[in-house]
Amino acid sequence: PLCGLSLDRPRLMGILNVTPDSFSDGGDHATREAAVAQAHALVAQGAEILDIGGESTRPGATEVPVAQEIARVVPVVAALRAEGLRVPLSIDTRKSAVARAALAEGADMINDVSALSFDPELAGVVAEAGVPLCLMHARGTPADMQRAPRYDDVVAQVQDALSARIEAAVSMGIARERLLVDPGIGFGKDLQHNLALLRGLPLFHGLGLPLLLGVSRKRFIGTLSGAEAPKGRMPGSVAVALLAAQQGVHVLRVHDVEETRQALSLLRAVMGWDE
């Protein structure tokens, strides 16, 4: 189980960016009040986990100071727990101090886009708390990751890199059964790399861990569909989410929860997954 949720069917992780500059919804929920309201809206739409982030990791983004990231994220976590919201809360952060502060207010897991390579102290915080951790593959930093990324075999190389990070996490005291992996679509990958990873999703089950995928509203969807504005990429995002669900992805990280939930309900019925 992940935060008490069985993984016998795809679970929906709603994205809650408490940032002024995220690529799709930067500024929409930058205040505590707006973020709390959006959290309740996402849960009402069917989100089973919320992923709260206070630092944009879009291509070209710069690092946010720790104190500022804490000031964005932690009051939202505290407010949601004070209101009695029981949905698991994931914290999208690379930083140990942010993770520690959010976990102290009732957060349930950590989603690290750097797979423990940014802040070496994050592993100790996660290990001590005994919470789940998602290790995502990225090449470079958000500031430079999209500058002509190159691979000989992107699927094999991402698999190998994630395998190495899994072993590093375990060596730092994190129980293997607490780990998830994410191939990191769009993080140091071009269009063809992203497509190859999506075709190769079943191979990542060889790592023996739950698989999380975040493709919602990303640039490659706009490139392929002609939807220039990120908020106009919902149909393409749902299409990729359904593809991922058919390939056994356990957690779908999405902006458009209601639309994805409805599409998944039809997929389950047609495929007979609930029988």
Side-chain angles (χ1 to χ4, degrees):
L2 173 65
C3 300
L5 299 170
S6 66
L7 296 178
D8 55 347
R9 61 181 177 85
R11 297 293 183 172
L12 289 176
M13 172 181 273
I15 299 169
L16 182 58
N17 290 317
V18 192
T19 56
D21 59 342
S22 290
F23 80 96
S24 174
D25 56 359
D28 288 357
H29 317 114
T31 67
R32 182 181 65 176
E33 293 75 16
V36 168
Q38 177 66 1
H40 287 293
L42 290 171
V43 172
Q45 293 167 19
E48 298 162 290
I49 308 173
L50 295 177
D51 194 39
I52 305 172
E55 178 182 57
S56 174
T57 50
R58 60 177 172 76
T62 56
E63 183 181 341
V64 172
V66 170
Q68 187 174 10
E69 190 176 342
I70 289 174
R72 291 174 178 176
V73 170
V74 172
V76 176
V77 176
L80 291 173
R81 288 303 184 228
E83 293 179 5
L85 188 74
R86 302 184 66 181
V87 169
L89 302 180
S90 167
I91 304 302
D92 182 0
T93 188
R94 304 177 288 172
K95 299 166 187 167
S96 58
V98 178
R100 184 180 294 109
L103 290 168
E105 293 294 342
D108 300 281
M109 70 173 280
I110 303 299
N111 182 13
D112 178 13
V113 299
S114 81
L116 299 177
S117 64
F118 181 82
D119 182 350
E121 295 184 10
L122 180 56
V125 173
V126 172
E128 182 179 355
V131 296
L133 169 69
C134 184
L135 301 169
M136 194 198 80
H137 177 272
R139 179 172 284 188
T141 66
D144 62 17
M145 64 188 180
Q146 291 306 104
R147 295 177 187 170
R150 296 183 63 184
Y151 299 85
D152 294 323
D153 182 335
V154 66
V155 175
Q157 287 174 261
V158 171
Q159 278 185 291
D160 289 346
L162 284 173
S163 180
R165 299 315 299 161
I166 292 167
E167 296 311 315
V170 172
S171 73
M172 289 185 278
I174 300 173
R176 185 179 294 267
E177 59 267 23
R178 294 287 187 180
L179 297 173
L180 302 83
V181 290
D182 178 347
I185 299 295
F187 281 77
K189 290 97 174 171
D190 64 19
L191 173 61
Q192 294 306 318
H193 298 146
N194 290 330
L195 294 176
L197 288 168
L198 291 172
R199 296 184 193 110
L201 283 174
L203 298 172
F204 287 92
H205 295 303
L207 295 171
L209 294 174
L211 183 58
L212 184 150
L213 190 72
V215 295
S216 183
R217 301 183 183 177
K218 289 193 172 177
R219 183 178 300 172
F220 82 97
I221 294 173
T223 300
L224 293 172
S225 67
E228 184 174 344
K231 290 182 181 179
R233 300 171 188 165
M234 180 275 290
S237 301
V238 171
V240 182
L242 292 181
L243 169 74
Q246 288 177 296
Q247 297 189 78
V249 169
H250 300 88
V251 182
L252 298 166
R253 184 179 181 273
V254 302
H255 295 88
D256 303 294
V257 172
E258 185 171 12
E259 293 85 352
T260 310
R261 180 196 57 77
Q262 184 180 123
L264 284 174
S265 69
L266 269 293
L267 178 65
R268 286 201 303 270
V270 172
M271 300 298 289
W273 290 353
D274 294 331
E275 296 178 357

